[in-house]
Amino acid sequence: MHRWKVARALLVACALGTVTLATSESAGAAEPLAIPSPEGLTMPKLEFTPTPVDEGDYDKYFYFHRANTTFAQAYADIKECDALASGSSIYLGGNEGVMNNAVMQYGMAGAIGGAIGSAMADAIFGSAARRAQRRANLRNCMHFKDYQRFGLSHDLWSEFNFEEGNGRKKEGVRNDALALQALVASGPEPRTKELGL
């Protein structure tokens, strides 16, 4: 059964009262978010002269800022939005029974070739789709929290951001990047044009 079917069934069961979810009192309180110290962090470079190519890529390469925000607030917001943006994924294909049908129609060699082709297509197109979805989800979440978005060149963006498509970054790499993003989001007011959602 697909994950979304399980989630939908659980939501329906909760609504009908046939299933109850554990509360923090019954399951143990969740661990509080560990906020790193901004001491020792170096503000990433944000100043650059944009080219038309840079401006065309602002949907991919951007940073957030909100006035009168502490580092701790920015880190908590970015960490939450990162978790929400990373929690969903797109997988191309994936119908149950496809492999069985391919074996019956084309034989095992054809099925294996089809599986390899599908894996290659997902690596090429699925990865890009997942990155685009993550960026859109991140922008929506941070916009909801009243952060403004500003464009950045790919090279500067790469210094304190990461992309995920076919796998999740290790938590250490991820948390280091999120700390720098929080430093920027709570730092000095940007002098460039705000991009909107």
Side-chain angles (χ1 to χ4, degrees):
M1 183 182 280
H2 292 291
R3 282 182 272 178
W4 66 268
K5 288 181 181 176
V6 172
R8 183 170 183 256
L10 183 58
L11 287 173
V12 169
C14 288
L16 295 174
T18 58
V19 171
T20 57
L21 298 176
T23 63
S24 61
E25 291 83 20
S26 64
E31 300 229 0
L33 174 66
I35 305 288
S37 171
E39 292 180 27
L41 295 178
T42 302
M43 179 67 76
K45 182 181 177 195
L46 303 174
E47 304 278 330
F48 74 108
T49 304
T51 66
V53 172
D54 292 327
E55 292 172 348
D57 282 342
Y58 283 168
D59 63 325
K60 296 179 187 176
Y61 309 119
F62 51 83
Y63 65 94
F64 299 103
H65 183 269
R66 185 173 71 187
N68 304 316
T69 300
T70 66
F71 173 81
Q73 290 171 327
Y75 185 80
D77 290 340
I78 287 172
K79 186 84 170 163
E80 178 183 7
C81 288
D82 173 66
L84 291 170
S86 300
S88 60
S89 56
I90 299 171
Y91 293 98
L92 303 177
N95 293 329
E96 295 171 4
V98 170
M99 187 68 165
N100 292 339
N101 292 339
V103 169
M104 289 185 346
Q105 186 170 359
Y106 302 110
M108 185 54 90
I112 291 172
I116 291 170
S118 293
M120 288 175 61
D122 184 58
I124 296 167
F125 302 112
S127 176
R130 285 187 284 278
R131 286 193 306 270
Q133 182 185 35
R134 182 185 181 282
R135 285 191 298 267
N137 290 344
L138 186 64
R139 286 190 345 221
N140 286 330
C141 181
M142 293 297 281
H143 179 77
F144 176 77
K145 294 176 177 290
D146 293 325
Y147 285 84
Q148 285 74 46
R149 187 172 66 94
F150 300 88
L152 206 54
S153 72
H154 175 264
D155 292 340
L156 295 179
W157 180 90
S158 297
E159 294 295 319
F160 63 105
N161 287 277
F162 53 87
E163 286 192 297
E164 297 176 317
N166 287 330
R168 184 173 171 84
K169 293 288 182 197
K170 293 186 178 183
E171 288 307 305
V173 171
R174 172 180 228 92
N175 290 336
D176 290 348
L178 295 178
L180 289 174
Q181 292 170 31
L183 190 66
V184 169
S186 61
E189 190 78 30
R191 290 184 275 181
T192 57
K193 181 182 175 188
E194 195 266 321
L195 299 174
L197 181 61

